[in-house]
Amino acid sequence: LRLASSPAPPISSALPCILLGVLQRKTLVEMVAEVLDGEKKRRLSLSAASNKMLIAIRCLTPGRVIPTTKLCVDERTKVKAILIAWASGVMKATDGLLPDGVRVLGSEGPLELEETLGVIRRFLQVKDGRPTITVTWPAASQAASAETKVVSKPDDAQQAAELKRKREKAQQEKAKAKAQQDKAKEQRDREKRVQEKAKEKAKKKKEKEKKKAKKEQDKVKAKKKEEQAAKKEKAAKAKQDAGEETKKAKEEAKKAKEEAKKKKAEEKAAEKAKKKETAASNPDGKQDDDDNDTTSTSSGSSSCSESSDDEDSSSGSDNEGAAAVSRFLDDSDSDAEDGKKDS
């Protein structure tokens, strides 16, 4: 069972034991047990060596100069045990007790005697390459055993423990206050982010509404422009129609005038032909004169009537054009008034 549970030792360390066992005529089980025991002892010694620590003890006492003592101890040993062993050899202390007033000083103040060397190692000052324990030893007249002293002073270990406890408590309170400050700061930052987000959202909403209102205004303006353009086009068309009607009326009047003139010329030609016929049939000049007078009178009256008809037709055509123009102006004024009311 031991062979199965223990790791195999190296051949170099097991070979001498095996040879010795062969010479002493031992069984194989006994030789294996000796090899395993030797390996266990070697490993224990190695582990103990790994826990060893080189330290120095420096003593401060009034009226004496104590040389610095260099030691190699296990770091799991308590400081009080190390000092008792040191004091029994260097300070000639008896009964395995330390006198009152003995203190151990580190880089941050007094250290507890009940702590192990590995715990207080980080608080020790390093001198000559070794962590140094500084011991304050009272004077010879003040040194007394803890058993013979009636009134004892306050225990330095308790004071150090109390000081440590207070320091830890202050650190905890400080950490708690800092955590509360960080939490309050985080809460303020969160509220600030929420407010900024709300502001940004309101700003976007306002911009969206502004764009929508602008779009509606642009639509209304475009519609008004279209209506105005349509009205202008309608007015221009009406004006063009009125101009065409006026032009048509003038052309009709001119045509009627030309027809009247042509008719007048035909009548004059017929009268002349008639006069010639009457002159040829009636050589009497008086009768001709009378006829001429009558014909001239009739022709004058007919010409007057024709001229009056021409004037009436021209005045009628002019009146028609003026009426068309007035209608166009009235329509344009009414359209303008409607546009103003819409705007």
Side-chain angles (χ1 to χ4, degrees):
L1 290 174
R2 292 179 61 188
L3 180 62
S5 61
S6 301
I11 300 298
S12 60
S13 62
L15 190 58
C17 295
I18 293 172
L19 293 176
L20 185 62
V22 170
L23 292 175
Q24 293 178 358
R25 296 181 180 181
K26 293 182 179 180
T27 61
L28 181 61
V29 176
E30 291 177 349
M31 288 189 291
V32 171
E34 287 182 0
V35 170
L36 292 177
D37 289 338
E39 182 64 21
K40 185 177 180 182
K41 290 178 181 179
R42 188 180 68 84
R43 289 190 178 184
L44 289 174
S45 63
L46 289 175
S47 63
S50 64
N51 293 326
K52 295 295 182 181
M53 180 177 174
L54 298 174
I55 64 170
I57 299 176
R58 185 169 66 98
C59 182
L60 302 177
T61 181
R64 293 178 61 185
V65 176
I66 307 298
T68 302
T69 305
K70 296 180 180 180
L71 302 173
C72 179
V73 295
D74 193 340
E75 63 180 7
R76 294 172 293 182
T77 308
K78 290 185 178 181
V79 178
K80 188 174 183 180
I82 295 171
L83 291 181
I84 290 172
W86 168 80
S88 63
V90 177
M91 304 302 294
K92 307 302 180 181
T94 58
D95 300 331
L97 298 174
L98 296 175
D100 294 337
V102 174
R103 293 189 305 168
V104 178
L105 302 178
S107 59
E108 296 183 0
L111 301 176
E112 295 183 8
L113 299 176
E114 299 297 330
E115 295 289 346
T116 60
L117 190 60
V119 174
I120 67 169
R121 182 175 184 174
R122 63 181 182 275
F123 300 110
L124 298 178
Q125 297 178 354
V126 178
K127 292 184 178 181
D128 298 331
R130 292 170 179 258
T132 303
I133 300 174
T134 302
V135 181
T136 58
W137 195 272
S141 59
Q142 298 177 357
S145 176
E147 295 178 353
T148 58
K149 193 168 183 179
V150 180
V151 180
S152 63
K153 296 181 180 179
D155 192 0
D156 292 337
Q158 293 180 358
Q159 290 180 357
E162 185 69 18
L163 184 63
K164 185 178 179 181
R165 188 181 63 80
K166 288 181 179 179
R167 186 164 55 246
E168 290 177 354
K169 187 176 179 181
Q171 290 178 356
Q172 290 178 358
E173 290 178 354
K174 189 176 180 181
K176 189 175 180 181
K178 188 176 180 181
Q180 290 178 355
Q181 290 178 359
D182 294 339
K183 190 174 181 180
K185 187 178 179 181
E186 187 178 355
Q187 183 70 19
R188 288 195 300 269
D189 293 339
R190 191 184 297 112
E191 291 177 356
K192 190 176 180 181
R193 286 195 297 271
V194 171
Q195 290 177 0
E196 289 177 354
K197 192 173 181 180
K199 286 181 180 179
E200 188 176 358
K201 190 175 181 180
K203 189 177 179 181
K204 286 183 179 179
K205 187 177 180 181
K206 190 175 180 181
E207 289 179 355
K208 190 175 181 180
E209 291 177 354
K210 191 175 180 181
K211 287 181 180 178
K212 189 175 180 180
K214 190 176 180 181
K215 192 174 181 180
E216 293 291 335
Q217 289 179 359
D218 293 339
K219 191 183 286 186
V220 172
K221 286 181 180 179
K223 190 174 180 181
K224 285 183 179 180
K225 284 182 179 179
E226 289 178 358
E227 291 177 354
Q228 290 178 359
K231 287 179 181 179
K232 285 182 180 180
E233 187 177 356
K234 187 177 179 182
K237 190 175 181 181
K239 188 175 180 181
Q240 186 177 0
D241 293 340
E244 288 179 356
E245 289 178 358
T246 305
K247 188 176 180 180
K248 189 175 180 181
K250 286 182 179 181
E251 288 178 355
E252 290 178 355
K254 188 176 180 181
K255 189 175 181 182
K257 191 175 180 181
E258 288 178 354
E259 288 178 356
K261 192 174 181 181
K262 187 176 180 182
K263 189 176 180 181
K264 187 177 179 182
E266 289 177 355
E267 289 178 355
K268 284 184 180 181
E271 286 177 359
K272 285 182 181 181
K274 192 176 181 181
K275 283 181 182 181
K276 287 180 181 181
E277 289 177 1
T278 55
S281 62
N282 295 321
D284 192 359
K286 189 175 180 182
Q287 184 67 31
D288 295 334
D289 292 336
D290 295 335
D291 292 335
N292 289 331
D293 292 336
T294 56
T295 54
S296 62
T297 305
S298 62
S299 63
S301 62
S302 63
S303 63
C304 290
S305 63
E306 289 175 358
S307 62
S308 63
D309 292 336
D310 293 336
E311 289 176 357
D312 293 337
S313 63
S314 62
S315 63
S317 61
D318 294 336
N319 290 331
E320 290 177 357
V325 172
S326 63
R327 285 198 303 273
F328 168 71
L329 294 174
D330 293 336
D331 293 337
S332 62
D333 292 338
S334 63
D335 293 336
E337 288 178 358
D338 294 336
K340 289 180 181 180
K341 289 180 181 179
D342 294 336
S343 62

